[in-house]
Amino acid sequence: MNRQNWIKKAVVVSLSATLGAGAVLTVAPPAPVEAASVSKGTQVVNYGKQYMGTPYKFGASTSTTRVFDCSSFMKHIFKKYGVNLPRTSAAQSKVGKAVSKSNLKAGDLVFFSSGSRANGRNVTHVAVYMGNGKILHTYGKPGVTISNLNSGNWKKTYLKARRVL
């Protein structure tokens, strides 16, 4: 075999090997990817976070997302995940099952007696627990916001929690 034929064969073999390996890589099914399991509670929280900064308005209609009060906000974000909550925070505090503060999970409703209508025992505010001591809710000037459950006003006015998911 002369040198020219040998080079042609080497190029053909080399290209065949390259193309063959490429074809195997292309045809091989992708390795299975384990989808991260996100709890329904975390999904509710993540959906609610899309409304960060939406203004607060006491008595806001449940038919709008331009403004919320605390209970209309909870009603809206939970409805997307199949939970039909009552309209007021006081009524919401009676659904689902009681859960201790030490056993809170993302998606649990947390209730407070705060603001001008509070007497320390009546429910006047609701938020959703996010995890890591944080709550997502709406009130006053900040509108929809994230607060620390274990400090300041929210620590002092905390009443109870309910699991509805």
Side-chain angles (χ1 to χ4, degrees):
M1 178 183 316
N2 69 23
R3 183 179 163 106
Q4 194 173 16
N5 282 344
W6 184 85
I7 291 173
K8 282 182 187 177
K9 285 192 180 213
V11 168
V12 167
V13 168
S14 176
L15 282 173
S16 297
T18 302
L19 291 174
V24 168
L25 291 174
T26 306
V27 174
V33 177
E34 197 75 28
S37 174
V38 177
S39 74
K40 193 174 272 195
T42 299
Q43 291 175 38
V44 169
V45 167
N46 289 341
Y47 177 62
K49 283 166 47 177
Q50 295 177 21
Y51 293 97
M52 290 290 288
T54 299
Y56 172 86
K57 181 182 178 195
F58 182 75
S61 168
T62 57
S63 64
T64 184
T65 57
R66 290 178 302 142
V67 293
F68 292 111
D69 67 10
C70 64
S71 56
S72 72
F73 180 51
M74 294 303 117
K75 188 167 176 61
H76 176 74
I77 64 174
F78 277 86
K79 184 178 181 182
K80 180 175 172 69
Y81 295 92
V83 178
N84 189 17
L85 293 173
R87 174 62 184 92
T88 67
S89 58
Q92 289 174 3
S93 74
K94 295 177 174 111
V95 298
K97 68 176 190 169
V99 60
S100 68
K101 193 174 185 182
S102 61
N103 287 319
L104 288 171
K105 292 182 182 178
D108 287 343
L109 293 172
V110 287
F111 299 92
F112 305 87
S113 184
S114 64
S116 61
R117 297 173 296 118
N119 65 19
R121 293 180 309 280
N122 63 328
V123 170
T124 60
H125 188 68
V126 61
V128 62
Y129 186 71
M130 300 176 68
N132 299 318
K134 303 286 187 208
I135 56 173
L136 178 68
H137 60 138
T138 184
Y139 75 99
K141 191 67 175 151
V144 175
T145 190
I146 295 171
S147 298
N148 187 336
L149 174 63
N150 299 310
S151 70
N153 184 56
W154 306 115
K155 182 178 182 178
K156 286 186 280 189
T157 62
Y158 176 87
L159 290 177
K160 63 181 178 174
R162 305 289 290 183
R163 185 161 293 153
V164 295
L165 295 173

Coordinates of all heavy atoms in Angstrom, one line a residue, residues 13-99:
V13 N -10.8 6.1 8.6 CA -11.0 5.4 9.9 C -11.2 6.5 11.0 O -12.0 6.3 11.8 CB -9.8 4.5 10.1 CG1 -9.8 4.0 11.6 CG2 -9.9 3.3 9.2
S14 N -10.3 7.5 10.9 CA -10.4 8.5 11.9 C -11.7 9.2 11.9 O -12.4 9.5 13.0 CB -9.3 9.5 11.7 OG -9.3 10.6 12.6
L15 N -12.2 9.6 10.8 CA -13.5 10.3 10.6 C -14.7 9.3 11.1 O -15.6 9.8 11.8 CB -13.8 10.8 9.2 CG -13.1 12.0 8.8 CD1 -13.3 12.3 7.3 CD2 -13.6 13.2 9.6
S16 N -14.6 8.1 10.7 CA -15.6 7.1 11.1 C -15.7 7.0 12.6 O -16.7 6.9 13.2 CB -15.3 5.8 10.5 OG -15.4 5.9 9.1
A17 N -14.5 6.9 13.2 CA -14.5 6.8 14.7 C -15.0 8.0 15.3 O -15.8 7.9 16.3 CB -13.0 6.5 15.1
T18 N -14.7 9.2 14.8 CA -15.2 10.4 15.4 C -16.7 10.5 15.2 O -17.4 10.9 16.1 CB -14.5 11.6 14.7 OG1 -13.1 11.5 14.9 CG2 -15.0 13.0 15.3
L19 N -17.2 10.3 14.0 CA -18.6 10.3 13.7 C -19.4 9.3 14.5 O -20.4 9.6 15.1 CB -18.9 10.2 12.2 CG -18.5 11.4 11.4 CD1 -18.7 11.0 9.9 CD2 -19.2 12.6 11.7
G20 N -18.8 8.1 14.6 CA -19.4 7.0 15.4 C -19.6 7.4 16.8 O -20.6 7.2 17.4
A21 N -18.5 7.9 17.4 CA -18.6 8.3 18.8 C -19.6 9.5 19.0 O -20.4 9.5 20.0 CB -17.2 8.7 19.3
G22 N -19.6 10.4 18.0 CA -20.6 11.5 18.1 C -22.0 11.0 18.0 O -22.9 11.4 18.7
A23 N -22.2 10.0 17.1 CA -23.5 9.4 17.0 C -24.0 8.7 18.3 O -25.1 8.8 18.7 CB -23.6 8.5 15.8
V24 N -23.1 8.0 18.9 CA -23.4 7.3 20.1 C -23.8 8.4 21.2 O -24.7 8.2 21.9 CB -22.2 6.5 20.6 CG1 -22.4 6.0 22.0 CG2 -22.0 5.3 19.7
L25 N -23.0 9.5 21.3 CA -23.3 10.5 22.3 C -24.6 11.2 22.0 O -25.4 11.5 22.9 CB -22.2 11.5 22.3 CG -20.8 11.0 22.9 CD1 -19.8 12.1 22.7 CD2 -21.0 10.6 24.3
T26 N -24.9 11.3 20.7 CA -26.2 12.0 20.3 C -27.4 11.1 20.5 O -28.4 11.6 21.0 CB -26.1 12.4 18.8 OG1 -24.9 13.2 18.6 CG2 -27.3 13.2 18.4
V27 N -27.2 9.8 20.3 CA -28.3 8.9 20.3 C -28.6 8.4 21.8 O -29.7 8.2 22.1 CB -28.1 7.7 19.4 CG1 -29.2 6.6 19.6 CG2 -28.0 8.1 18.0
A28 N -27.6 8.4 22.6 CA -27.7 7.9 24.0 C -28.7 8.8 24.7 O -28.7 10.0 24.6 CB -26.4 8.0 24.7
P29 N -29.6 8.1 25.4 CA -30.6 8.9 26.2 C -30.0 9.7 27.3 O -29.0 9.3 27.9 CB -31.6 7.8 26.7 CG -30.8 6.6 26.8 CD -29.8 6.7 25.6
P30 N -30.5 10.8 27.6 CA -29.9 11.6 28.7 C -30.1 10.9 30.0 O -31.0 10.2 30.2 CB -30.7 12.9 28.7 CG -32.0 12.6 28.0 CD -31.7 11.4 27.1
A31 N -29.1 11.2 30.9 CA -29.2 10.6 32.2 C -30.4 11.1 33.0 O -30.8 12.3 32.8 CB -27.9 10.9 33.0
P32 N -31.1 10.3 33.7 CA -32.3 10.8 34.4 C -31.9 11.9 35.4 O -30.9 11.8 36.1 CB -32.8 9.5 35.2 CG -31.7 8.6 35.2 CD -30.8 8.9 34.0
V33 N -32.7 12.9 35.4 CA -32.5 14.1 36.3 C -33.5 14.0 37.4 O -34.7 14.0 37.1 CB -32.6 15.4 35.5 CG1 -32.4 16.6 36.5 CG2 -31.5 15.5 34.4
E34 N -33.1 14.0 38.6 CA -33.9 14.0 39.8 C -34.5 15.4 40.0 O -33.8 16.3 40.3 CB -33.2 13.5 41.0 CG -34.0 13.1 42.2 CD -34.6 11.7 42.0 OE1 -34.0 10.9 41.3 OE2 -35.6 11.4 42.5
A35 N -35.8 15.5 39.8 CA -36.5 16.8 40.0 C -36.5 17.1 41.5 O -36.9 16.3 42.3 CB -37.9 16.8 39.4
A36 N -36.2 18.3 41.8 CA -36.2 18.7 43.2 C -37.7 18.8 43.7 O -38.5 19.4 43.0 CB -35.5 20.1 43.4
S37 N -37.9 18.2 44.7 CA -39.3 18.1 45.3 C -39.6 19.4 46.1 O -38.9 19.7 47.0 CB -39.5 16.9 46.2 OG -40.7 16.9 46.8
V38 N -40.5 20.2 45.6 CA -40.8 21.4 46.2 C -42.2 21.3 46.8 O -43.2 20.9 46.2 CB -40.8 22.6 45.2 CG1 -41.3 23.9 45.9 CG2 -39.5 22.8 44.6
S39 N -42.3 21.5 48.1 CA -43.6 21.3 48.8 C -44.6 22.3 48.3 O -44.3 23.3 47.8 CB -43.4 21.5 50.3 OG -43.3 22.9 50.6
K40 N -45.9 21.9 48.5 CA -47.0 22.8 48.1 C -46.9 24.1 48.9 O -47.2 25.2 48.3 CB -48.3 22.1 48.3 CG -49.4 22.9 47.5 CD -50.8 22.1 47.6 CE -50.9 21.2 46.5 NZ -52.3 20.7 46.3
G41 N -46.5 24.0 50.1 CA -46.4 25.2 50.9 C -45.3 26.2 50.3 O -45.6 27.4 50.3
T42 N -44.2 25.7 49.9 CA -43.2 26.5 49.3 C -43.7 27.1 48.0 O -43.4 28.2 47.6 CB -41.9 25.7 49.1 OG1 -41.4 25.2 50.4 CG2 -40.8 26.5 48.4
Q43 N -44.5 26.3 47.2 CA -45.1 26.8 46.0 C -46.0 28.0 46.3 O -45.9 29.0 45.5 CB -45.8 25.7 45.3 CG -44.9 24.6 44.7 CD -45.7 23.4 44.1 OE1 -46.8 23.6 43.5 NE2 -45.3 22.2 44.3
V44 N -46.8 27.9 47.3 CA -47.7 29.0 47.7 C -46.9 30.2 48.0 O -47.2 31.3 47.5 CB -48.6 28.6 48.9 CG1 -49.3 29.8 49.4 CG2 -49.6 27.5 48.4
V45 N -45.8 30.0 48.8 CA -45.0 31.1 49.2 C -44.3 31.8 48.0 O -44.3 33.0 47.8 CB -43.9 30.7 50.2 CG1 -42.9 31.7 50.4 CG2 -44.6 30.4 51.6
N46 N -43.8 30.9 47.1 CA -43.1 31.5 45.9 C -44.1 32.2 45.0 O -43.7 33.3 44.5 CB -42.4 30.4 45.1 CG -41.2 29.8 45.8 OD1 -40.6 30.5 46.7 ND2 -40.8 28.6 45.5
Y47 N -45.3 31.7 44.9 CA -46.3 32.4 44.1 C -46.6 33.8 44.8 O -46.7 34.8 44.1 CB -47.6 31.6 44.0 CG -48.7 32.3 43.3 CD1 -48.6 32.7 41.9 CD2 -49.9 32.5 43.9 CE1 -49.6 33.3 41.3 CE2 -50.9 33.2 43.3 CZ -50.8 33.5 41.9 OH -51.8 34.2 41.3
G48 N -46.8 33.8 46.1 CA -47.1 35.0 46.8 C -46.0 36.1 46.7 O -46.2 37.3 46.7
K49 N -44.7 35.6 46.6 CA -43.6 36.5 46.5 C -43.6 37.3 45.2 O -43.0 38.4 45.2 CB -42.3 35.8 46.6 CG -42.0 35.4 48.1 CD -40.9 34.4 48.3 CE -39.6 34.5 47.6 NZ -38.6 33.5 48.0
Q50 N -44.3 36.8 44.2 CA -44.5 37.6 43.0 C -45.2 38.9 43.2 O -45.1 39.8 42.3 CB -45.2 36.8 41.9 CG -44.5 35.5 41.5 CD -45.3 34.7 40.5 OE1 -46.3 35.2 39.9 NE2 -45.0 33.4 40.4
Y51 N -45.9 39.0 44.3 CA -46.7 40.2 44.6 C -46.0 41.2 45.5 O -46.6 42.2 46.0 CB -48.1 39.9 45.2 CG -48.9 39.1 44.2 CD1 -49.0 37.8 44.1 CD2 -49.6 39.9 43.2 CE1 -49.8 37.1 43.2 CE2 -50.4 39.2 42.2 CZ -50.5 37.8 42.3 OH -51.2 37.2 41.3
M52 N -44.7 41.0 45.8 CA -43.9 41.9 46.7 C -44.1 43.3 46.3 O -44.0 43.7 45.1 CB -42.4 41.5 46.6 CG -42.1 40.2 47.3 SD -42.2 40.2 49.0 CE -40.8 41.2 49.5
G53 N -44.5 44.1 47.3 CA -44.6 45.6 47.1 C -46.0 46.0 46.6 O -46.3 47.2 46.6
T54 N -46.9 45.0 46.4 CA -48.3 45.3 46.0 C -48.9 46.1 47.2 O -48.8 45.6 48.3 CB -49.1 44.1 45.7 OG1 -48.5 43.4 44.6 CG2 -50.5 44.4 45.3
P55 N -49.5 47.2 47.0 CA -50.0 48.0 48.1 C -51.1 47.3 48.9 O -51.9 46.5 48.5 CB -50.7 49.2 47.4 CG -50.1 49.3 46.0 CD -49.8 47.8 45.7
Y56 N -51.1 47.8 50.2 CA -52.1 47.3 51.2 C -53.3 48.2 51.2 O -53.2 49.4 51.1 CB -51.5 47.3 52.6 CG -52.5 47.0 53.7 CD1 -52.8 45.7 54.0 CD2 -53.1 48.0 54.3 CE1 -53.7 45.4 55.0 CE2 -54.1 47.8 55.3 CZ -54.3 46.5 55.7 OH -55.2 46.2 56.7
K57 N -54.5 47.6 51.2 CA -55.7 48.4 51.4 C -56.7 47.6 52.3 O -57.1 46.5 51.8 CB -56.4 48.8 50.1 CG -57.6 49.6 50.2 CD -58.3 49.9 48.9 CE -59.5 50.7 49.1 NZ -60.4 50.7 47.9
F58 N -57.0 48.1 53.4 CA -57.9 47.4 54.3 C -59.3 47.2 53.6 O -59.8 48.1 52.9 CB -58.2 48.2 55.6 CG -59.1 47.4 56.5 CD1 -58.7 46.4 57.3 CD2 -60.4 47.8 56.7 CE1 -59.5 45.7 58.1 CE2 -61.3 47.2 57.5 CZ -60.8 46.1 58.3
G59 N -59.8 46.0 53.6 CA -61.1 45.6 53.0 C -61.0 45.5 51.5 O -62.0 45.5 50.8
A60 N -59.7 45.2 51.0 CA -59.5 45.1 49.5 C -60.4 44.0 49.0 O -60.7 43.0 49.6 CB -58.1 44.8 49.2
S61 N -60.9 44.2 47.8 CA -61.8 43.2 47.1 C -61.0 42.0 46.8 O -59.8 42.1 46.5 CB -62.3 43.8 45.8 OG -62.9 42.8 45.0
T62 N -61.6 40.8 46.8 CA -60.9 39.6 46.5 C -60.9 39.4 44.9 O -60.3 38.4 44.5 CB -61.7 38.4 47.1 OG1 -63.0 38.4 46.7 CG2 -61.6 38.4 48.6
S63 N -61.5 40.3 44.2 CA -61.5 40.2 42.7 C -60.4 41.0 42.1 O -60.3 41.2 40.9 CB -62.8 40.6 42.2 OG -63.1 42.0 42.4
T64 N -59.4 41.6 42.9 CA -58.3 42.3 42.3 C -57.0 41.9 42.9 O -57.0 41.3 44.0 CB -58.5 43.9 42.6 OG1 -57.4 44.5 41.9 CG2 -58.5 44.2 44.1
T65 N -55.9 42.1 42.1 CA -54.6 41.8 42.6 C -53.8 43.1 42.6 O -52.6 43.1 42.8 CB -53.9 40.8 41.8 OG1 -53.8 41.2 40.4 CG2 -54.6 39.4 41.9
R66 N -54.5 44.3 42.4 CA -53.8 45.6 42.4 C -53.5 46.0 43.9 O -52.6 46.8 44.1 CB -54.6 46.6 41.7 CG -54.6 46.4 40.1 CD -55.4 47.4 39.4 NE -56.8 47.3 40.0 CZ -57.5 48.4 40.2 NH1 -57.1 49.6 39.9 NH2 -58.7 48.2 40.7
V67 N -54.4 45.6 44.8 CA -54.2 45.9 46.2 C -54.7 44.7 47.0 O -55.5 43.9 46.5 CB -55.0 47.2 46.7 CG1 -54.5 48.4 46.0 CG2 -56.5 47.0 46.4
F68 N -54.2 44.5 48.2 CA -54.6 43.4 49.0 C -54.7 43.9 50.5 O -54.0 44.8 50.9 CB -53.6 42.3 49.1 CG -53.4 41.5 47.8 CD1 -52.2 41.6 47.1 CD2 -54.3 40.6 47.4 CE1 -52.0 40.9 45.9 CE2 -54.1 39.9 46.2 CZ -53.0 40.0 45.5
D69 N -55.6 43.2 51.3 CA -55.4 43.3 52.7 C -54.9 41.9 53.1 O -54.7 41.0 52.2 CB -56.7 43.7 53.4 CG -57.8 42.7 53.4 OD1 -57.7 41.6 52.9 OD2 -58.9 43.1 53.8
C70 N -54.6 41.7 54.4 CA -53.9 40.4 54.7 C -54.7 39.2 54.3 O -54.1 38.3 53.8 CB -53.5 40.4 56.2 SG -54.9 40.5 57.3
S71 N -56.0 39.2 54.6 CA -56.8 38.0 54.3 C -57.1 37.8 52.9 O -57.2 36.7 52.4 CB -58.0 38.0 55.2 OG -58.8 39.1 55.0
S72 N -57.3 38.9 52.1 CA -57.5 38.7 50.7 C -56.3 38.2 50.0 O -56.3 37.5 49.0 CB -58.0 40.0 50.0 OG -57.0 41.0 49.9
F73 N -55.1 38.6 50.5 CA -53.8 38.1 49.9 C -53.7 36.6 50.2 O -53.4 35.9 49.2 CB -52.7 38.9 50.6 CG -51.3 38.5 50.1 CD1 -51.0 38.4 48.7 CD2 -50.3 38.2 50.9 CE1 -49.8 38.0 48.2 CE2 -49.0 37.8 50.5 CZ -48.8 37.7 49.1
M74 N -54.0 36.2 51.4 CA -53.9 34.7 51.7 C -55.0 34.0 50.8 O -54.7 32.9 50.3 CB -54.2 34.4 53.2 CG -53.1 35.0 54.1 SD -51.5 34.4 53.8 CE -50.7 35.9 53.4
K75 N -56.2 34.5 50.7 CA -57.2 33.9 50.0 C -56.8 33.7 48.5 O -56.9 32.6 47.9 CB -58.5 34.7 50.0 CG -59.7 34.1 49.4 CD -61.0 34.8 49.8 CE -62.2 34.3 49.1 NZ -62.5 32.9 49.5
H76 N -56.1 34.7 48.0 CA -55.7 34.7 46.6 C -54.6 33.7 46.3 O -54.6 32.9 45.4 CB -55.2 36.1 46.1 CG -54.7 36.1 44.7 ND1 -55.5 36.0 43.6 CD2 -53.4 36.2 44.3 CE1 -54.7 36.0 42.5 NE2 -53.4 36.1 42.9
I77 N -53.5 33.7 47.1 CA -52.4 32.8 46.9 C -52.7 31.4 47.1 O -52.2 30.5 46.5 CB -51.1 33.3 47.6 CG1 -51.2 33.2 49.1 CG2 -50.7 34.7 47.1 CD1 -49.9 33.6 49.8
F78 N -53.6 31.1 48.1 CA -53.9 29.7 48.4 C -54.9 29.1 47.4 O -54.9 28.0 47.1 CB -54.4 29.6 49.8 CG -53.4 29.4 50.9 CD1 -52.8 30.6 51.4 CD2 -52.9 28.2 51.3 CE1 -51.8 30.5 52.3 CE2 -51.9 28.1 52.2 CZ -51.3 29.2 52.7
K79 N -55.7 30.0 46.8 CA -56.7 29.6 45.8 C -56.1 28.9 44.6 O -56.5 27.9 44.1 CB -57.6 30.7 45.4 CG -58.7 30.3 44.4 CD -59.6 31.5 44.1 CE -60.7 31.1 43.2 NZ -61.5 32.2 42.8
K80 N -54.9 29.5 44.2 CA -54.2 28.9 43.1 C -53.8 27.4 43.3 O -53.6 26.7 42.4 CB -52.9 29.8 42.8 CG -52.1 29.3 41.6 CD -51.0 30.2 41.3 CE -50.0 29.7 40.3 NZ -50.5 29.6 39.0
Y81 N -53.7 27.1 44.5 CA -53.3 25.7 44.9 C -54.4 24.9 45.5 O -54.2 23.9 46.2 CB -52.1 25.7 45.8 CG -50.9 26.3 45.1 CD1 -50.6 27.7 45.1 CD2 -50.1 25.5 44.2 CE1 -49.6 28.2 44.4 CE2 -49.1 26.1 43.5 CZ -48.8 27.4 43.6 OH -47.8 28.0 42.8
G82 N -55.7 25.3 45.1 CA -56.8 24.5 45.5 C -57.4 24.6 46.9 O -58.2 23.8 47.3
V83 N -56.9 25.6 47.6 CA -57.4 25.9 49.0 C -58.3 27.1 49.0 O -57.8 28.2 48.7 CB -56.3 26.0 50.0 CG1 -56.8 26.3 51.4 CG2 -55.4 24.8 50.0
N84 N -59.6 26.9 49.2 CA -60.5 28.0 49.2 C -60.7 28.5 50.7 O -61.5 28.0 51.4 CB -61.9 27.6 48.6 CG -62.8 28.8 48.4 OD1 -62.3 30.0 48.4 ND2 -64.0 28.5 48.2
L85 N -60.0 29.6 51.0 CA -60.1 30.1 52.4 C -61.2 31.1 52.5 O -61.6 31.7 51.6 CB -58.8 30.9 52.7 CG -57.5 30.1 52.8 CD1 -56.3 31.0 52.9 CD2 -57.6 29.1 53.9
P86 N -61.7 31.2 53.8 CA -62.8 32.2 54.1 C -62.2 33.6 53.8 O -61.0 33.8 53.7 CB -63.1 32.0 55.5 CG -62.5 30.7 55.9 CD -61.4 30.4 55.0
R87 N -63.0 34.7 53.9 CA -62.6 36.0 53.5 C -61.8 36.7 54.6 O -60.9 37.5 54.3 CB -63.8 36.9 53.2 CG -63.6 38.3 52.9 CD -62.6 38.5 51.8 NE -62.3 39.9 51.6 CZ -61.2 40.5 52.2 NH1 -60.4 39.8 53.0 NH2 -60.9 41.8 51.9
T88 N -62.1 36.5 55.9 CA -61.5 37.3 56.9 C -60.4 36.5 57.7 O -60.4 35.2 57.7 CB -62.5 37.8 58.0 OG1 -63.0 36.6 58.7 CG2 -63.6 38.6 57.3
S89 N -59.4 37.2 58.3 CA -58.4 36.5 59.0 C -59.0 35.7 60.2 O -58.5 34.6 60.5 CB -57.3 37.5 59.5 OG -57.9 38.5 60.3
A90 N -60.0 36.3 60.9 CA -60.6 35.6 62.0 C -61.2 34.3 61.5 O -61.1 33.2 62.2 CB -61.7 36.5 62.6
A91 N -61.9 34.3 60.4 CA -62.5 33.0 59.8 C -61.4 32.1 59.4 O -61.6 30.9 59.6 CB -63.5 33.4 58.7
Q92 N -60.4 32.6 58.8 CA -59.3 31.8 58.3 C -58.6 31.0 59.5 O -58.1 29.9 59.3 CB -58.2 32.6 57.5 CG -58.8 33.0 56.2 CD -57.8 34.0 55.4 OE1 -56.7 34.3 55.9 NE2 -58.2 34.5 54.3
S93 N -58.6 31.7 60.7 CA -58.0 31.1 61.8 C -58.7 29.9 62.4 O -58.2 29.2 63.3 CB -57.8 32.2 62.9 OG -59.1 32.4 63.6
K94 N -59.8 29.6 61.8 CA -60.6 28.4 62.3 C -60.6 27.2 61.3 O -61.2 26.2 61.6 CB -62.1 28.9 62.5 CG -62.2 29.9 63.6 CD -63.6 30.4 63.8 CE -63.7 31.3 65.0 NZ -64.0 32.7 64.7
V95 N -59.9 27.4 60.2 CA -59.9 26.3 59.2 C -58.6 25.5 59.4 O -57.6 26.0 60.0 CB -60.1 26.7 57.8 CG1 -61.4 27.4 57.6 CG2 -59.0 27.7 57.3
G96 N -58.5 24.3 58.8 CA -57.3 23.5 58.8 C -57.1 22.9 60.2 O -58.1 22.8 61.0
K97 N -55.9 22.6 60.5 CA -55.6 22.0 61.9 C -54.6 22.8 62.6 O -53.7 23.4 61.9 CB -55.2 20.5 61.8 CG -53.9 20.3 61.1 CD -53.5 18.8 61.2 CE -52.0 18.6 60.7 NZ -51.5 17.3 61.0
A98 N -54.7 22.9 63.9 CA -53.7 23.7 64.7 C -52.3 23.1 64.6 O -52.2 21.9 64.5 CB -54.2 23.6 66.2
V99 N -51.4 24.0 64.6 CA -50.0 23.6 64.6 C -49.2 24.5 65.5 O -49.4 25.7 65.6 CB -49.4 23.6 63.1 CG1 -49.4 25.0 62.5 CG2 -48.0 23.1 63.0

